[in-house]
Amino acid sequence: MPYAASDLEALVSAHSREVHGLLMAITRNQAIAEELAQEVFLVALRKQMRPGPGMRLWLRDVARKLALNELRRRRPEALDFSGAEPAGGASEAGPR
């Protein structure tokens, strides 16, 4: 059975605020969060997901994965911890 427009509208209406809020918390960028929120619901449309148990968690998981992938794509150097200082900002020589 094809996905009806009313199904998608109901899904977006029920979950868009939470999905967008999560994406804003992760990306801290309004434009990116809006773009990714649309992508989350397009994924649901492509997979013909129907509202039901677990839908909220599934959408949050998709949103989180898309956001992290987007951050990696846009700022790969920000995720490279190979040259990071030890926790607490202490130097390798330790306290004096």
Side-chain angles (χ1 to χ4, degrees), residues 6 8 10 13 16 35 41 50 56 60 63 77:
S6 61
L8 182 60
S13 176
S16 63
E35 179 182 324
F41 293 107
R50 301 275 189 244
R56 177 180 166 266
R60 287 179 57 88
E77 67 281 354

Side-chain angles (χ1 to χ4, degrees), residues 5 7 11 15 17 23 28 46-47 55 59 70 75:
D7 292 334
L11 190 65
H15 300 285
R17 182 176 293 228
L23 292 166
R28 301 193 186 285
R46 283 192 293 265
K47 296 203 177 272
M55 175 57 73
L59 288 170
E70 183 67 15
R75 297 181 297 195

Side-chain angles (χ1 to χ4, degrees), residues 32-89:
I32 294 171
E34 289 175 4
E35 179 182 324
L36 292 175
Q38 291 179 13
E39 184 64 27
V40 168
F41 293 107
L42 287 174
V43 170
L45 178 65
R46 283 192 293 265
K47 296 203 177 272
Q48 297 190 358
M49 298 299 292
R50 301 275 189 244
M55 175 57 73
R56 177 180 166 266
L57 293 177
W58 184 84
L59 288 170
R60 287 179 57 88
D61 190 49
V62 170
R64 182 183 57 80
K65 288 176 182 176
L66 287 174
L68 293 176
N69 286 341
E70 183 67 15
L71 290 178
R72 284 185 195 105
R73 186 183 73 76
R74 288 180 184 258
R75 297 181 297 195
E77 67 281 354
L79 298 175
D80 179 15
F81 299 109
S82 60
E85 284 187 26

